[in-house]
Each structure stands twice: as C-alpha cells, then as structure tokens.
Amino acid sequence: MSKIEPFRIAESSIDERNDVVKGSHLPAKYQGTAADRMDMSMLGKKQVLRRQFSFSTMLGFASTVMVAWEFCLLVSPFGLADGGTPAVFWGVIFSPVVLLPVYASLAEVASMSPTAGGQYHWVSEFAPPRFQKGMSYTVGWLIALGWQTFLCGVAFETASLILGLAVLSNPSYEILGWHETLLTMAIVFFCVIFNVLLAARMPIIEALVLVLHVLGVFVVIIPLWVMAPRGNGHDTILKFVNSGGWHDLSLASTIGMVPILGLLIGYDCSVHMSEEVQDASRTVPMVIVWAVASNALMLLVVGITYIFCLGDLDSVLDSSTGQPVIQVFYNATQSVAGTSVMISVIIIIFLSACVGQVATASRQMWSFARDKGFPFSAWLEVVPPTWNIPLNAIFASAIITCLLSLINLGSYTAFNAFNSLGTVSILFSYTITVGCLIWRRLYGKPLPPRRWSLGRWGLPLNIISLCLTTPMLFFYVWPLYYPVTTANMNWSSTMLGSVVIIAAIYYFFKGRHDYQGPVVNMKRDE
C-alpha cells in the first residue's frame, strides 16, 4: 500500500488554554488526527462536525445501515417471482463477486479524498475537465435521490413488519394504506429525535446494534434449521421457474436475480460520514471493505437458509400479514410468540438502520448544499456551533421522507418503485465514479497519494467493476411481470428521469451560476 509523509500541525495552531484548533469552535479531540486536519485543508473545507467514530463503531454503523441479510428476507419475493429459489441462491452467491471490485475501487478513492460529498466530489476531481462540473452536479443529485428514497423505503418496510405482526396476533385486523403511512412518519420522527438529541451517543449505540446484527443471524437460522421443512437441493438451486409471464426463462431469471445482487449496494454510507471519522483516509476504506465482506458472508448464510426453508411457496407469497417472511417464520415455529421474537429482532435492527440512514442522507445533503448544489443551499448547509450536526439537513430529510410516504395513499405500485429507485440511483453514481477513475488512470494526471491503495490491480478492478455494474443498471429498471400494465410497471426509471429533468432545469436557471464543483476549492499538490 502507498505511504504518505508524516503530517504535522504547527504548535501555534493549538490554543493550549481551551484545547481548540484555531479557526474552529470544535475541541481538538473532535478535529481528528493530524492526517484528518491535513485532509480537510487539502479539500478546502472547515471541520464543523465531530470526529467521534472509530473503525469499530463505523463498521457497526455501515453494517446496520444497510442490513443486507435482513433485507434479503423482504426482497426475496422479487427473485421468487422471476427465476424462483435459484434466482435468490445465485444472487446471494454472486452479489459479493460483482460488488467487491466496485467497493475496492471506491475505497481507494475514499483514501485520496475522505469527504462527506463522496461520489460527486470524486467525479468533480477525476472527470475530464470539460465535464467535471455537469457530471459532478448530476451525481450529487443521484446520491441525494438514492439516500432519501432508501430512508423512506426502510422506514416503510419497518412499519410493514410491525403491522404484519399485528395481523399475525389479531387476524381480524386489516392493514390500510394510511396506517402504513402514519407509522412510517412516526418512525422517521423517532429517528430524527435520535439524530438530534443522541448524536454524541450514536457511535456506541451503533456498536451495540452491530452485536445484535450478528447475533440476529443465529436467532433466524437456528429455528429454521431445526423446525422448518427442507427444500429439495436440486430444485432449490437449479430448477429455475418463470412465474412472471416472460417468454424467455433466462430473461425472467436475470430480472429476478438483479434485486438480490443489489442487496450489497449502499455501503458508501460510511463515506458520507467521513468528516466524523477519526483518521478517515485510512479508516473509511478499511470499513468499506470489511463491512461488505462480513455482511456478504452473513447474507450468504441467511439467504441460503431462507430459500431452503420456505415450505409451501404459494401460502408464503399470499400471506395475510403482507410479509412473506413472517409467514415463513410462523410456518416453521407454529408459534405466534416465537415468530414475534424473531421478527422483533429484525424490526429493532431496521429501526437502527433508519437512524443511520437519516444521518447518511442528511450528511450527503449538507455536503452538496455546502457546494451550492441544491435549492435553499444557504439554509441546508447550516451547522449550529452548539450542535455540530447539520440540523437543517436532518429536518429536510425527514420532511422529504414524510412527503414521499404520502404516495402510498394514492398508489402502492408507484410507492413500491422506491425499492429499486434508490438502488438504481446509488449504483448509477458508483458507475460514473468508477468510469471517471478509469479515465484519470488512462489519460489524466497520476492519481493523488493515498494510504489505502490497490496498486497495480487498480485499473483491472476498475474495468471489471464497470463491466459488471452497467448490465445491472439495465435490468434493474425492468418490470417483474409480463405483459406490462400500469399496475405492475417498474416506475423507477420514470421517477429517476423526472428528478434528473428537475435537476437540469434548476441547473440551467440557477445551479450553473452557483455550483462550481468542490474541485475548485481543493489545495492538492500534484
């Protein structure tokens, strides 16, 4: 791995009386290491957030924000509809194969520029000069769209699990759309309060939830191993089925497998917390790789266990609870109490994920507003000195999520498109970032020094990443069923296009005058 020269901070930069770095209201202990201070100076940014995350606490944050194995239990019906259990099996097998090269590429860039801006900042730095401004602006909106819809989607799924348990306990209860919407809003309100009042305690709480995240694997798989019926090995792994009506089994299976492949998308969450991590240029890349690798292993264990223990697929997919996973657990345990305990563990982890996603979405929004990328950027970028958190961006994220949840009252189909919209937006940002990195390696200046390097494997892994993510993007926007109707259409592509058009309109009239891209503020010696 590449080495860097030791960083030094002049003795005069520290006020010994109050232990505060000059030019900042933060105590020195929250300014991070000497490397962090040099990185912030190089990025042309001022340290206003507290650096309170270590490697272990950020690993907990990243793992519990994306909840890969937990979400597999909820997303698997997409694969079951197109391809059947083999689509889920091979999806969890190939997910780390496809995405580890992507995250290795992102980890190396995060070591070069550890900033909360993440992908849009890197595109601004590494894209061809004539396209830097427009491309980074587009990526900034893509990331914002992705994380806002991620937050709304996870909050809604948490609400659905809670209401599903209510149906399990009281079969006469009927879930209505406004129940889901109001509970989603309540969950977001709880997460906002947590982010505001307990921000200083978030690292230790995320570390504790990481323990539950790991133990939860055994809470789920042991009852299934002991009590659930076993599927036939050959049929479970190799007997692809076409329940979506497509004329070609290979096409149907590909459509069903892609959402499973995407279960590991979103670990850039740690990147957007970079300005709150100690020794970020070294810690964040390590967190990305370790989080993806460890959660891929847990995803593999839970995903394979789950599809072998599904039992009667028709009864599972037609469950009155609205959540097939609840029916699978109940069919295995034949106990309302046992099922409730297993699902409650997942609900607690999902609540933690919502807390972390509020933090991630707000930091990304704040960072992009700091570079004047949004309407009302002057308000969104405010960080009150006594709070040291992007308070307005947190509130804005909550408002956006509540407004998005209202869509469920008009059309569940349109709202359900969020399941792929967030993933498509984030994956698109990965693809553009890696593409710019390839261009820089081939045609631009040498890459900046970094403390976490891929060495000679950098370019091959970048190219492999681009070749694997591009077809994923293509198939992610396909509908699950054929013939396609307004009721079963995958509206994520339409939503994505609408947001891009809105961003373009804003850029034409105002954004191009205010937004210059973070690269103009950088002070890197190359």
Side-chain angles (χ1 to χ4, degrees), residues 39 42-43 101-115 118-127 271 274 280-282 284-285 288 430 432-438 440-441 447-454 458 462 522 524:
D39 284 335
M42 174 270 295
L43 294 168
V102 178
Y103 284 115
S105 302
L106 298 182
E108 185 177 38
V109 189
S111 186
M112 302 176 201
S113 298
T115 166
Q119 297 94 299
Y120 86 84
H121 177 104
W122 302 333
V123 169
S124 175
E125 188 174 357
F126 299 127
V271 170
S274 290
S281 61
R282 183 175 180 83
V284 171
I288 293 173
Y430 293 173
I432 295 174
T433 301
V434 173
C436 292
L437 187 57
I438 293 173
R440 177 68 176 258
R441 287 185 188 276
L447 291 174
R450 56 275 191 197
R451 302 167 72 190
W452 197 95
S453 174
L454 294 174
N462 296 160
M522 295 188 66
R524 195 192 296 277

Side-chain angles (χ1 to χ4, degrees), residues 7-16 21-22 34 37-38:
F7 291 117
R8 296 186 180 182
I9 296 181
E11 293 181 3
S12 59
S13 66
I14 303 289
D15 187 332
E16 299 293 347
V21 177
K22 287 185 177 181
R37 298 173 193 176
M38 290 294 290

Side-chain angles (χ1 to χ4, degrees), residues 306-442:
Y306 185 66
I307 61 170
F308 269 93
C309 299
L310 281 175
D312 179 32
L313 188 57
D314 291 334
S315 69
V316 167
L317 295 178
D318 295 333
S319 174
S320 60
T321 65
Q323 289 290 345
V325 62
I326 296 179
Q327 194 64 47
V328 171
F329 289 177
Y330 180 74
N331 290 348
T333 63
Q334 292 296 306
S335 167
V336 172
T339 301
S340 298
V341 169
M342 295 169 71
I343 295 296
S344 294
V345 170
I346 297 174
I347 289 173
I348 293 171
I349 299 172
F350 267 42
L351 284 172
S352 173
C354 289
V355 169
Q357 291 194 9
V358 168
T360 302
S362 62
R363 269 55 168 189
Q364 191 281 327
M365 177 181 287
W366 161 76
S367 179
F368 199 45
R370 181 175 58 178
D371 288 314
K372 312 302 179 188
F374 283 130
F376 311 110
S377 287
W379 181 77
L380 289 170
E381 69 173 324
V382 171
V383 177
T386 55
W387 292 89
N388 302 121
I389 55 175
L391 207 58
N392 293 348
I394 291 174
F395 293 145
S397 295
I399 293 170
I400 291 171
T401 299
C402 291
L403 292 175
L404 290 176
S405 68
L406 294 175
I407 296 175
N408 182 55
L409 299 178
S411 171
Y412 177 77
T413 301
F415 184 82
N416 201 42
F418 288 140
N419 284 321
S420 57
L421 176 59
T423 307
V424 169
S425 302
I426 298 297
L427 183 60
F428 204 176
S429 75
Y430 293 173
T431 304
I432 295 174
T433 301
V434 173
C436 292
L437 187 57
I438 293 173
W439 181 89
R440 177 68 176 258
R441 287 185 188 276
L442 293 176

Side-chain angles (χ1 to χ4, degrees), residues 33 42 74 77 149 155 186 229 241 250 269 272 289 314-315 333 515:
T33 64
M42 174 270 295
L74 277 66
T149 52
V241 296
S250 299
C269 57
H272 303 301
V289 175
D314 291 334
S315 69
T333 63
Y515 181 80

Side-chain angles (χ1 to χ4, degrees), residues 22-331:
K22 287 185 177 181
S24 172
H25 59 270
L26 281 174
K29 66 177 181 179
Y30 291 131
Q31 292 278 331
T33 64
D36 291 323
R37 298 173 193 176
M38 290 294 290
D39 284 335
M40 292 302 289
S41 176
M42 174 270 295
L43 294 168
K45 304 298 183 185
K46 180 181 177 182
Q47 183 72 49
V48 295
L49 307 179
R50 288 185 293 256
R51 290 189 182 270
Q52 55 184 352
F53 283 93
S54 63
F55 171 80
S56 58
T57 54
M58 182 48 60
L59 179 62
F61 179 90
S63 299
T64 55
V65 163
M66 293 320 301
V67 289
W69 72 258
E70 295 91 341
F71 221 75
C72 177
L73 303 176
L74 277 66
V75 174
S76 58
F78 296 130
L80 296 174
D82 285 317
T85 54
V88 180
F89 176 85
W90 294 108
V92 298
I93 292 289
F94 285 116
S95 184
V97 175
V98 171
L99 289 169
L100 269 173
V102 178
Y103 284 115
S105 302
L106 298 182
E108 185 177 38
V109 189
S111 186
M112 302 176 201
S113 298
T115 166
Q119 297 94 299
Y120 86 84
H121 177 104
W122 302 333
V123 169
S124 175
E125 188 174 357
F126 299 127
R130 64 179 296 189
F131 301 117
Q132 283 177 339
K133 183 177 175 181
M135 288 180 68
S136 66
Y137 180 83
T138 302
V139 171
W141 276 79
L142 284 174
I143 311 169
L145 173 63
W147 281 105
Q148 296 299 330
T149 52
F150 267 165
L151 172 58
C152 184
V154 173
F156 183 83
E157 293 293 355
T158 308
S160 298
L161 284 174
I162 294 172
L163 295 175
L165 281 186
V167 173
L168 182 68
S169 301
N170 180 14
S172 63
Y173 170 63
E174 180 183 359
I175 301 175
L176 300 178
W178 64 270
H179 298 172
E180 296 169 315
T181 297
L182 284 181
L183 189 52
T184 299
M185 292 180 177
I187 290 169
V188 172
F189 179 76
F190 163 78
C191 294
V192 167
I193 296 299
F194 189 104
N195 269 268
V196 172
L197 301 182
L198 295 175
R201 299 287 180 265
M202 188 179 294
I204 186 63
I205 293 173
E206 294 292 350
L208 292 174
V209 178
L210 174 61
V211 175
L212 182 61
H213 175 64
V214 175
L215 293 179
V217 172
F218 301 97
V219 172
V220 168
I221 65 175
I222 291 177
L224 293 180
W225 283 349
V226 174
M227 301 178 180
R230 298 286 192 280
N232 176 273
H234 178 273
D235 291 349
T236 301
I237 296 175
L238 298 175
K239 189 177 180 180
F240 289 87
V241 296
N242 182 3
S243 302
W246 296 98
H247 299 305
D248 185 81
L249 179 60
S250 299
L251 175 62
S253 301
T254 303
I255 295 171
M257 191 184 301
V258 165
I260 311 302
L261 292 174
L263 286 169
L264 291 177
I265 291 174
Y267 285 94
D268 60 300
C269 57
S270 54
V271 170
H272 303 301
M273 303 294 289
S274 290
E275 294 175 39
E276 295 168 71
V277 178
Q278 292 277 345
D279 203 19
S281 61
R282 183 175 180 83
T283 302
V284 171
M286 292 172 60
V287 166
I288 293 173
V289 175
W290 277 95
V292 175
S294 59
N295 283 276
L297 179 61
M298 288 185 276
L299 171 64
L300 192 67
V301 172
V302 174
I304 293 177
T305 297
Y306 185 66
I307 61 170
F308 269 93
C309 299
L310 281 175
D312 179 32
L313 188 57
D314 291 334
S315 69
V316 167
L317 295 178
D318 295 333
S319 174
S320 60
T321 65
Q323 289 290 345
V325 62
I326 296 179
Q327 194 64 47
V328 171
F329 289 177
Y330 180 74
N331 290 348

